[in-house]
Amino acid sequence: MDASISALRSSGRLTPPASLMIYVATQPVDFRKGAEGRALLAKETLGHAPMKGVAVVFRAKRADRVKIIVWDGSGLVMYWKRLDGSGFKWPPIVAGVMRIKCRSFDLI
């Protein structure tokens, strides 16, 4: 793996390097798209292509699901997480994208 996603901890959490730029799509998206469709959406609507060494986090209409797209050096990887019985705390929905630091990403 290159500098995108380095490892999975034993707890099952992603451990990105501190240098990884992480972007969150601020509007909910259709969760039926796969990795390639989501990467194209990130590039065309958000201006950030996962193949360029960034991670992009997408949220579902329900606040309990996220999909994360990242290039691991050899291919496109999509992580999917659903919380049971609760939801992620999201900022107000606005058009665009926001950048987060690896510390905040660790909370996902």
Side-chain angles (χ1 to χ4, degrees):
M1 282 190 187
D2 68 1
S4 293
I5 295 292
S6 59
L8 283 172
R9 287 190 224 146
S10 60
S11 66
R13 291 182 178 261
L14 297 175
T15 307
S19 62
L20 180 66
M21 291 189 298
I22 304 164
Y23 296 95
V24 178
T26 55
Q27 290 188 345
V29 297
D30 181 355
F31 255 39
R32 295 175 289 183
K33 289 184 186 283
E36 290 82 13
R38 212 158 287 289
L40 185 63
L41 180 68
K43 181 181 177 185
E44 291 182 349
T45 60
L46 305 176
H48 300 287
M51 287 78 140
K52 302 283 185 178
V54 302
V56 182
V57 179
F58 295 94
R59 62 172 287 188
K61 288 182 183 176
R62 291 196 221 173
D64 66 342
R65 300 160 200 230
V66 295
K67 285 187 179 179
I68 303 162
I69 303 296
V70 67
W71 181 262
D72 75 353
S74 64
L76 195 58
V77 179
M78 181 169 66
Y79 297 95
W80 183 82
K81 183 171 185 176
R82 180 183 59 119
L83 296 179
D84 286 330
S86 64
F88 293 99
K89 302 297 182 214
W90 293 102
I93 297 173
V94 295
V97 64
M98 65 182 209
R99 184 171 176 197
I100 62 172
K101 299 195 182 288
C102 288
R103 293 186 307 268
S104 298
F105 181 80
D106 193 43
L107 297 174
I108 296 175

